[in-house]
Amino acid sequence: MKISAKTDVGMVRANNQDSYSAGDLTSEVTWAVVCDGMGGANGGNVASETAVKVISDKLTSGYHIGMNDNSVKNLIVSAIEAANMTLFSMARNNEELSGMGTTVVLAVRNADTLYLSNVGDSRIYIVSDSGITQVTTDHSVVQIMLDRGEISPEEAKDHPKKNVITRALGVDPDVRIDYSQEQLNENDIVLLCTDGLTNYVDDETILDICKTEDKYKIADKLVELANENGGGDNITVVTVSE
């Protein structure tokens, strides 16, 4: 598998509260995790970095060849639950970290299956020969308004509450985690990102870059474009392709 990955502070923020990690579980199975932290002067950094480390450790130590779909699901969900409890305990025991939290998107990919999970408004896309598909659902106030038909997709793009999320790791002792599986084709690209990308680069442009750019340079190019378009937030992109 080919991995491209890049995180950047952007053009406005003083520090980068995004974190990511990615790698191979076996010769045929690859994983990636992306987190977007929030809370306090250092809380966001601590939250995202800690969540990425806990999830990475749980995933790499717990995965073994021959796991069935249900075992992979249990491993992914338990890794995220462990990260949530770790962050919640840290915030409760350290006043400086009170209120910290983070989004998470986590993907495990083999040749024909994508196992994915998310909390918050970071996203996973599948880019295929037929187009680009968002396969996570944002846990945000704006997404609720969209689902209810109260606003249009166009209104959602610039809505004043578009950065308000309804779920995050570390805020409560229990967290609702979305999990799903998707079938993949040979040429599909799996893309994980924070909203620092999607708020500044539209889906059609993401699709075009994935189709035309060298697979190892996709993340670099998308981060560059987000910065050219304002770079108002931290930006993180990870892609996994064959």
Side-chain angles (χ1 to χ4, degrees), residues 44-153:
N45 298 357
V46 172
S48 64
E49 289 172 7
T50 302
V52 164
K53 185 178 189 315
V54 171
I55 290 167
S56 300
D57 290 348
K58 293 284 185 183
L59 205 61
T60 54
S61 64
Y63 189 88
H64 60 82
I65 293 172
M67 292 180 80
N68 62 30
D69 288 353
N70 199 52
S71 295
V72 176
K73 174 185 178 180
N74 289 339
L75 177 60
I76 286 173
V77 172
S78 65
I80 294 175
E81 287 175 341
N84 182 67
M85 273 309 305
T86 299
L87 295 181
F88 182 75
S89 297
M90 289 172 66
R92 188 171 53 181
N93 295 324
N94 185 340
E95 198 172 294
E96 290 184 6
L97 300 178
S98 179
M100 76 172 179
T102 184
T103 70
V104 62
V105 280
L106 173 59
V108 174
R109 174 184 185 161
N110 62 30
D112 58 7
T113 307
L114 174 65
Y115 307 89
L116 65 132
S117 201
N118 72 294
V119 177
D121 65 351
S122 297
R123 294 177 177 178
I124 300 177
Y125 291 87
I126 296 175
V127 179
S128 66
D129 291 337
S130 57
I132 182 169
T133 305
Q134 182 182 337
V135 289
T136 53
T137 300
D138 294 349
H139 303 139
S140 66
V141 169
V142 164
Q143 185 63 50
I144 291 171
M145 296 170 75
L146 273 169
D147 292 343
R148 291 174 177 169
E150 296 171 0
I151 59 173
S152 68

Side-chain angles (χ1 to χ4, degrees), residues 152-193:
S152 68
E154 286 302 314
E155 290 171 323
K157 290 179 182 178
D158 298 309
H159 197 278
K161 291 186 177 180
K162 73 176 183 177
N163 294 323
V164 180
I165 58 175
T166 55
R167 296 187 214 172
L169 298 188
V171 177
D172 294 301
D174 298 305
V175 63
R176 289 170 56 205
I177 301 166
D178 284 4
Y179 173 86
S180 61
Q181 287 177 217
E182 300 286 341
Q183 290 302 116
L184 295 173
N185 296 311
E186 185 178 351
N187 295 324
D188 289 353
I189 297 171
V190 176
L191 185 148
L192 299 79
C193 64

Side-chain angles (χ1 to χ4, degrees), residues 11-62:
M11 305 300 288
V12 175
R13 299 292 176 91
N15 58 0
N16 191 350
Q17 297 191 332
D18 288 359
S19 298
Y20 77 89
S21 190
D24 295 325
L25 292 169
T26 72
S27 60
E28 298 179 347
V29 181
T30 301
W31 65 278
V33 59
V34 169
C35 291
D36 181 355
M38 61 184 191
N42 299 310
N45 298 357
V46 172
S48 64
E49 289 172 7
T50 302
V52 164
K53 185 178 189 315
V54 171
I55 290 167
S56 300
D57 290 348
K58 293 284 185 183
L59 205 61
T60 54
S61 64

